[in-house]
Amino acid sequence: MEVYAIIRSGGKQYKISQGDTIRVEKMTGQAGDTVELKDVLLYADGDKVLAGKPLLPNVRVVGEILGRSRGKKVIVFKMKRRKGYAKSQGHRQSFTTLRIKEISVQ
């Protein structure tokens, strides 16, 4: 009987359980800070399933910030043939690593 939730963070959805470590879009806060994730879409505890329309206001997900990192560099290259136009640009996405401490229904 697994307790899990589906949350939304940074435009993406994550299936999480207590003790999971996830990498989400950059969040404010320092390493060691506690954050509450408010966008809970679904909560499941065995046969008990709560689905939001679209969110569940009474489900609380608490996580701890483990640190920040950046992803691999992605090269964005634009070119128009026969026009002499070429543009190269790099991008590194920032991430925050979270450990899920608690999932509870109030």
Side-chain angles (χ1 to χ4, degrees):
M1 186 159 73
E2 180 187 8
V3 176
Y4 68 92
I6 296 178
I7 62 166
R8 180 174 63 195
S9 177
K12 298 172 183 67
Q13 296 178 5
Y14 303 91
K15 179 183 174 187
I16 58 168
S17 298
Q18 188 169 347
D20 284 356
T21 302
I22 59 172
R23 202 170 83 160
V24 297
E25 298 284 329
K26 185 178 177 183
M27 300 177 82
T28 58
Q30 301 297 323
D33 288 353
T34 302
V35 293
E36 184 171 347
L37 303 168
K38 299 185 186 296
D39 291 354
V40 181
L41 305 172
L42 183 129
Y43 171 82
D45 184 2
D47 293 336
K48 179 183 174 187
V49 176
L50 302 174
K53 295 181 182 181
L55 302 175
L56 291 169
N58 59 341
V59 178
R60 184 170 178 247
V61 176
V62 177
E64 177 187 2
I65 296 177
L66 298 179
R68 287 213 181 100
S69 61
R70 297 178 77 190
K72 290 185 175 182
K73 182 178 273 192
V74 177
I75 303 298
V76 180
F77 183 73
K78 297 179 180 182
M79 180 179 158
K80 296 189 187 248
R81 62 183 189 157
R82 299 187 303 270
K83 306 296 182 201
Y85 172 78
K87 178 182 178 183
S88 181
Q89 183 176 2
H91 174 75
R92 289 184 72 188
Q93 185 68 41
S94 297
F95 295 103
T96 300
T97 306
L98 295 176
R99 178 180 294 127
I100 306 301
K101 294 171 70 175
E102 175 187 0
I103 301 173
S104 61
V105 178
Q106 300 171 340

